[in-house]
Amino acid sequence: MYDLLKGLRIVEGASFIAAPLCGLTFVQLGADVIRFDPIGGGPDFRRWPLAPSGLSFYWEGLNKGKRSIALNLAVPEGRELAIALATVPGQNAGCFVTNYPAGGFLAHERLCRRREDLITVRVTGSSDGRNALDYTVNCAAGYPQMTGPADDDRPVNHVLPAWDIAAGLTAAVSLLAALHRRNATGRGSEIQVPLSNVAFATLSTLGNIGEVMTSGRDRERYGNALYGSFGRDFITADRRRIMIVAITKRQWTGLVEALQLSGEISSLQQRVGADFLADESARFVHRAPLFALVEQAVGGRRFDDLADLFDHHGVCWGEYQTVKQALDRDSRISATNPMFVHTAHPSGETYLAAGFPGIFSGTERSPLRCAPRLGANTDEILAEELGLSGHEIGRLHDAGVVA
Amino acid sequence: MYDLLKGLRIVEGASFIAAPLCGLTFVQLGADVIRFDPIGGGPDFRRWPLAPSGLSFYWEGLNKGKRSIALNLAVPEGRELAIALATVPGQNAGCFVTNYPAGGFLAHERLCRRREDLITVRVTGSSDGRNALDYTVNCAAGYPQMTGPADDDRPVNHVLPAWDIAAGLTAAVSLLAALHRRNATGRGSEIQVPLSNVAFATLSTLGNIGEVMTSGRDRERYGNALYGSFGRDFITADRRRIMIVAITKRQWTGLVEALQLSGEISSLQQRVGADFLADESARFVHRAPLFALVEQAVGGRRFDDLADLFDHHGVCWGEYQTVKQALDRDSRISATNPMFVHTAHPSGETYLAAGFPGIFSGTERSPLRCAPRLGANTDEILAEELGLSGHEIGRLHDAGVVA
């Protein structure tokens, strides 16, 4: 975690991945993020994977470093406290992150009656107002048809909730941009980030829309091969699987030299009339004979030898690892990487947790804080943020409005 | 595009996806983004997919709305112009986005000699300094082993370059946070965003590290089934494929009602001793009989009937579509969605292009601008940003330093 946004206060009323990831990003950059949840936890409180204690690794991964207040949102007094929190006064407050319905008790226009310059960032499902989650947007955006073995035409959902992640980060960018404007003009913002917009905009960004509208055809499925250049997975003599990519000239030259393939590549170039160095797309067009050459060269060498060769020649490659293999042997996902710290979590387990993935040179990372227990900060938040007396807080507890 | 960051000036010297997506995000929020490229284009200038004209849909998707200057970066005078651009004075300038090597002529500490409060955001490959791209990081982070049909153990690379996207947005968040600090303190920043950190941090965020370190085992592969709750793809009577997810209580109730399965579900609950409404994880544990029930119910109904039923009951679902099918029939990816505009692009093709995926209520979207031709703004940038005379600009052209 870093202290770049120190002093900034964000209120989060959210569940699942996207909106909580937005809040987490602010925590990791130094903001004070107050998350409110229903007493007993929201719909994401028991999401798998679970710890042996029954608490969720998922919840405690997404909520690291936040402060937690638990409210009974089924009663008007609890909802009133959520509204009061989201609209607390002060130049560094008034930023609300949520995935609650746009028309409910946390509607922006209702909150604005309390604080006119409020910034609300709301992650929603579909741009047409319909219910949607990452998986029901992903299937509509064409990726499952492009993903998976080329010899199998069943669509493949990728397991990474990529649209949630992109939406959460888009929400964070939006909030910071809105804050930039508010600091300059005093004006608040209401922002919606529909998952479907995030997915469909990506098809525009990466050229898929132009490709399909112009050709009138969908892109084929190419398995693990990289589209338009050289890249695929290969198996070493000792049965380890590696991914090799050669997009730039240097990567291509490095690969050819490392595997001592210049003779074979020259012959192939003459035979097919292509220049693989000058034209990366020729590496894709003629991938069948190229893959065969690299398959044989990689298959005849052991992993450790290849690793040395590839690193020496600047080849762009990586090994396939399961998460366990990565944790067992990859120093990038270990406490030797300053992003990671071994930490005790509320689930009762101690394991590696990550701070912000970016690295600010010359700025120290402040200690990583684990997720709160649900409601761990209820009393302090009611006192400090809303100015309630101990007597009043006790009454709220007794009435079951807070926990 | 929106005008929230109007006045802000970003200089981008970058290729491929992550860093250019960071620049694109700033364009879409109103900043003036100047991109410099080598004369003739960088390593991403001919990336597939290509238009019939040979220009890249990918390049023109990632560079919409930027201004372009082409420089001969192989000669000192061209490199000097790049350095001068990145370090132009002014409160709203001095923000540089790149994926050039950290130790090269665009090293932050060298640029800082010209402008001490410079903010440099650099997307890099691996946190250990090694060469890496999205695909060579993805294989190391465990997702290909979790993705793909459960009856096939070959790792599946997802086709979406998700780590590039997450890294590009993380770079944008980092830059805005650094700008927030600079506005308050005058201090610049050097930020590195390694793709590998982005991927491995995600394993922390989503609970995978806790799961694997605690259990000592990797998660199995579940094909298109959602882990820990109810979700999978199903085929309708008229052979259309849909994704159905039921994570929340309301989604579960809606699904059971829509498919008139309450009797069967009650019997199943009694038989296995589970409460599917109260406990979403029971929907995953007992997925085999649940999938069989839903398979039969969906398989006995036509798509159009299911669509009505599901929407009426608030079921969370989506249809599998190829990109072409989506463009043909999904209004969310059409000009009826205010995010999208039909635009003529430098490739010579006219097709749908997206602005910012977030929606700022009450703030008008400014007209979407297509990508520039390479070097379209060379002269105006040299004159306006660097104050060069027409005579001097002519000399640079004659000497082949700019184009």
Side-chain angles (χ1 to χ4, degrees), chain B residues 262-282:
Chain B
S262 45
E264 288 88 337
I265 296 289
S266 290
S267 318
L268 178 60
Q269 289 191 132
Q270 288 189 345
R271 206 166 72 237
V272 301
D275 180 346
F276 297 133
L277 181 61
D279 177 11
E280 60 163 336
S281 70

Side-chain angles (χ1 to χ4, degrees), chain A residues 1-7 24-32 337-340 354-369, chain B residues 170 174 177-178 181 187 189-194 197:
Chain A
M1 311 203 178
Y2 288 105
D3 67 354
L4 274 87
L5 301 179
K6 198 171 175 179
L24 179 67
T25 303
F26 278 91
V27 168
Q28 293 180 326
L29 290 166
D32 174 22
N337 178 342
M339 178 178 75
F340 279 111
F356 190 67
I359 302 161
F360 286 78
S361 307
T363 301
E364 219 173 315
R365 283 186 188 264
S366 40
L368 189 139
R369 298 191 308 274
Chain B
T170 299
S174 303
R181 178 169 74 172
R187 182 174 167 193
S189 292
E190 179 188 12
I191 309 138
Q192 288 200 27
V193 181
N197 264 10

Side-chain angles (χ1 to χ4, degrees), chain A residues 157 192 218 320-322 359, chain B residues 140 157 192 218 320-322 359:
Chain A
N157 295 349
Q192 289 200 29
D218 282 305
Y320 283 78
Q321 309 178 128
T322 66
I359 302 161
Chain B
N157 295 348
Q192 288 200 27
D218 282 306
Y320 283 78
Q321 309 178 125
T322 67
I359 302 161

Side-chain angles (χ1 to χ4, degrees), chain A residues 25-49:
Chain A
T25 303
F26 278 91
V27 168
Q28 293 180 326
L29 290 166
D32 174 22
V33 178
I34 294 174
R35 174 173 163 123
F36 64 79
D37 275 285
I39 294 173
D44 56 348
F45 191 60
R46 299 281 175 182
R47 280 293 281 143
W48 283 25

Side-chain angles (χ1 to χ4, degrees), chain B residues 53 82 99 101 115 146 149 219 335 360 393:
Chain B
S53 65
N99 67 337
R115 180 168 176 149
M146 288 186 259
R219 188 185 298 181
F360 286 79
I393 294 170

Side-chain angles (χ1 to χ4, degrees), chain A residues 63-75:
Chain A
N63 296 311
K64 292 188 291 279
K66 298 176 187 174
R67 293 198 289 158
S68 171
I69 174 170
L71 302 172
N72 182 352
L73 297 171
V75 300

